[in-house]
Amino acid sequence: MTHTNPSHDMPMAVFPGYLAGPGEDLDTLFAFTRGRDDWLLTVEGNNLVACHESGTGLVILDRTEDSTSPRWTVASGHGRTSGLAWHATFDAATPAEVVMAAARRLAHGTGQPTRAEREQHLWSHTSHADTLDLLHTEAARARWSAGTRCCTSTLDAPDGTATLRTYRAAEGHGDARDLAYTLTAGARGHQATWWKAEFTRTVPTSIIMAALRTVTDPGRYTRRASRIPMLHRASLRTHPVARRCPEPALGR
């Protein structure tokens, strides 16, 4: 058994964040619901479920150990008792911040007062088909390269650490809930270990764009040094998180 010296396992700021590792999923979900009075957090078996009061917004965290099921699901239904209209899933290796980028966009959209405003904030247009064009525009802005592999369109990050795949439905075929997009990222040359996010065909534009932008326009995430994936370290810039100095005592 090995023991980690706490003094050597300090919080680190990690850039790019999408290679920082999964992070603290439980704390992240609690932080998402905190201050959102229109979202309720419940326990359903091994799942923690954050549900919008309308029943049309869901964020599900599967806490089952070593499960092959998605770790996270961000979804929308037609009501509390209806099936899902669309969903996005994220595996256990996906940084929690990537999931929350999508969840925050859903929360922003479901929080709008009218249906027209909800549609505008989630899809940003009237035709779902425009989503693909907007994804290509965002990838081009980040200088990703486009290609086609086995009838699948691909967009690849210039440093080889991320890929967005698009699966086109045959004319007149395909269900709206079919898998349409897959975003993956990880250490260059080690694709078998990459984290994976999957999105169905009618996913709102803002949901998938929020996830994509965590890769095309990455931020800095905080991780304990021991939680940063070893394979990713050659591609990262890290530095210790600055600790706040204690406030001086009054009268000194």
Side-chain angles (χ1 to χ4, degrees):
M1 179 181 295
T2 58
H3 298 275
T4 301
N5 186 336
S7 65
H8 295 163
D9 196 26
M10 60 176 51
M12 306 291 289
V14 182
F15 181 86
Y18 68 88
L19 297 179
E24 300 297 331
D25 49 22
L26 194 59
D27 290 346
T28 302
L29 184 57
F30 286 155
F32 169 76
T33 56
R34 192 177 302 125
R36 287 190 168 94
D37 296 336
D38 53 345
W39 285 77
L40 176 66
L41 187 62
T42 61
V43 178
E44 298 182 8
N46 289 326
N47 295 337
L48 284 177
V49 181
C51 180
H52 187 258
E53 62 186 6
S54 67
T56 59
L58 297 167
V59 180
I60 304 168
L61 170 61
D62 183 351
R63 295 285 291 171
T64 306
E65 292 295 331
D66 302 321
S67 174
T68 57
S69 300
R71 184 70 159 183
W72 295 91
T73 301
V74 177
S76 178
H78 301 290
R80 291 184 182 275
T81 60
S82 302
L84 299 180
W86 57 263
H87 63 269
T89 60
F90 306 81
D91 68 9
T94 306
E97 293 88 346
V98 175
V99 183
M100 287 300 107
R104 286 194 300 272
R105 293 309 304 170
L106 176 59
H108 183 67
T110 53
Q112 300 307 308
T114 68
R115 179 175 179 178
E117 289 175 296
R118 289 192 291 273
E119 290 283 314
Q120 176 65 25
H121 281 273
L122 287 172
W123 276 276
S124 305
H125 52 69
T126 58
S127 171
H128 297 176
D130 292 342
T131 299
L132 183 58
D133 292 337
L134 293 174
L135 293 173
H136 275 264
T137 299
E138 173 62 19
R141 182 194 65 79
R143 300 182 179 178
W144 287 32
S145 59
T148 301
R149 302 172 187 168
C150 301
C151 302
T152 300
S153 299
T154 62
L155 295 165
D156 297 302
D159 64 356
T161 62
T163 296
L164 177 68
R165 294 183 177 86
T166 301
Y167 311 98
R168 296 182 181 272
E171 189 68 27
H173 295 80
D175 189 280
R177 292 165 295 179
D178 287 346
L179 176 65
Y181 310 100
T182 300
L183 177 64
T184 57
R188 184 172 51 251
H190 296 272
Q191 280 81 348
T193 69
W194 285 16
W195 59 259
K196 180 170 65 176
E198 297 180 324
F199 306 83
T200 54
R201 195 162 304 283
T202 54
V203 65
T205 307
S206 60
I207 301 297
I208 187 170
M209 284 290 287
L212 178 61
R213 282 176 176 156
T214 64
V215 183
T216 58
D217 189 17
R220 288 172 171 79
Y221 302 160
T222 299
R223 296 289 186 270
R224 288 281 177 184
S226 63
R227 303 297 297 275
I228 301 171
M230 188 65 68
L231 282 174
H232 297 180
R233 297 190 181 201
S235 303
L236 299 173
R237 297 201 300 270
T238 64
H239 61 81
V241 173
R243 298 179 178 178
R244 295 181 60 184
C245 296
E247 295 292 334
L250 294 177
R252 293 187 181 180

